[in-house]
Amino acid sequence: FSYLAVEDAARIARKAIEADYDGHEVFWAVAGDTTAAAPTTAVIDKFYPDATVRGDIGTHQSLLDLSKSREMLGWKPRRRWRDL
């Protein structure tokens, strides 16, 4: 249910290369919304019924937590396929 626009992929790659931290880190790089027509809560209920949901889930919010990318790199996805 995830995707990433090429522009957002290029931005996170650049931010990761230019970031100032020691060692290595792993980041999720996905769009902030899903590709599903159904609301995210319905996707979770159907495909991941045993998952623990943390925080509020928007109508089509990504299933993945992007907070680390935002906090460490100052990155968040800008492009949404629904806006095209």
Side-chain angles (χ1 to χ4, degrees), residues 1-5 8 27-44 48 51-70 75-82:
F1 305 102
S2 298
Y3 70 99
L4 183 62
D8 286 333
F27 299 96
W28 284 112
V30 299
D33 62 337
T34 68
T35 58
T40 300
T41 53
V43 172
I44 293 168
Y48 308 104
T52 301
V53 177
R54 298 180 194 144
D56 295 326
I57 301 291
T59 304
H60 294 286
Q61 181 175 330
S62 173
L63 296 169
L64 302 172
D65 180 0
L66 303 177
S67 61
K68 182 178 177 182
S69 301
R70 183 179 57 248
W75 179 85
K76 67 179 184 175
R78 294 180 184 166
R79 305 284 290 183
R80 293 171 16 111
W81 71 267
R82 288 177 173 84

Side-chain angles (χ1 to χ4, degrees), residues 12 20 67:
I12 195 169
D20 185 24
S67 61

